Amino acid sequence: MLVLASKSPRRKELLSLITEDFIIKTANVDESLPDNIEPNKAVEYLSKIKAQPFNNGMDTIIGADTVVAVDGIILGKPKDRDDAYNMLKQLSGKYHSVFTGVTVIRPDKTVTFSVETRVKFFDLTDDEINEYIDTSEPFDKAGAYGIQGKGSLLVERIEGDYFNVVGLPVSALKKYLF
């Protein structure tokens, strides 16, 4: 049995590009990070703790986590409108990195890896930022934007795996599944 340990509808959709034969399970886990952890190590750590509760020695478990980082600082999901504004202002006109960590627990081995995609935003005006926030799209997304939605209008350039920015690097993941 293949288990996706994620509440994300985007990850469910992306895993469906690889296979339709999986189930979803989720557990409440403590997502507190150790101090001064690098963004790529943070997502690897979180992917492990999300997958681990379902490790029964028989199934294949996939855990994943995605963060946005600018200047080495992780931007989580915005707490409110002001937080979303500040994140988007911080990303405006600059490159940032999106890291997704994935843990695959199989009966014979466990593999954890992360993928980095670089994204550059256009220079955004205050009006553009506020218009985007008005869509309510930023509030459940790391870094206050979703590239698969209206947030795509903020993006000038992307270097790397698009699906990684959405939340699951499917081409890299497929290599570890079958």
Side-chain angles (χ1 to χ4, degrees):
M1 174 74 57
L2 181 61
V3 177
L4 175 62
S6 176
K7 297 174 189 161
S8 168
R10 292 167 294 283
R11 286 197 185 101
K12 177 184 176 187
E13 182 181 335
L14 292 174
L15 185 56
S16 296
L17 296 173
I18 299 173
T19 181
E20 296 285 337
D21 190 20
F22 65 92
I23 62 171
I24 294 173
K25 292 185 179 181
T26 60
N28 290 325
V29 295
D30 179 5
E31 294 188 35
S32 301
L33 291 170
D35 291 338
N36 301 318
I37 191 169
E38 296 291 321
N40 64 316
K41 296 300 179 194
V43 292
E44 290 175 8
Y45 172 82
L46 292 169
S47 73
K48 286 178 197 173
I49 66 169
K50 289 179 177 182
Q52 196 57 47
F54 308 106
N55 183 7
N56 60 13
M58 298 178 298
D59 296 329
T60 297
I61 317 299
I62 301 167
D65 194 77
T66 301
V67 300
V68 171
V70 62
D71 301 325
I73 298 166
I74 296 172
L75 303 181
K77 295 178 183 177
K79 298 172 190 67
D80 55 29
R81 185 180 183 91
D82 287 341
D83 200 23
Y85 175 86
N86 290 332
M87 286 184 193
L88 293 167
K89 193 71 170 173
Q90 195 172 3
L91 298 174
S92 176
K94 292 171 51 176
Y95 274 98
H96 62 275
S97 293
V98 179
F99 294 94
T100 298
V102 180
T103 294
V104 178
I105 300 174
R106 297 176 53 131
D108 58 333
K109 67 179 176 180
T110 297
V111 177
T112 299
F113 65 94
S114 58
V115 174
E116 177 183 8
T117 302
R118 303 262 302 147
V119 180
K120 183 173 190 276
F121 270 20
F122 287 106
D123 283 316
L124 304 175
T125 66
D126 288 350
D127 286 344
E128 289 170 322
I129 291 171
N130 284 313
E131 285 173 16
Y132 180 60
I133 293 170
D134 287 344
T135 70
S136 296
E137 192 176 88
F139 295 108
D140 69 337
K141 312 246 181 342
Y145 79 97
I147 197 168
Q148 72 279 7
K150 293 187 184 295
S152 63
L153 303 174
L154 311 177
V155 175
E156 180 178 346
R157 179 171 301 146
I158 179 171
E159 296 171 5
D161 183 345
Y162 166 81
F163 294 117
N164 184 57
V165 182
V166 179
L168 195 67
V170 292
S171 57
L173 173 59
K174 184 174 187 295
K175 293 178 182 185
Y176 295 104
L177 288 179
F178 306 108

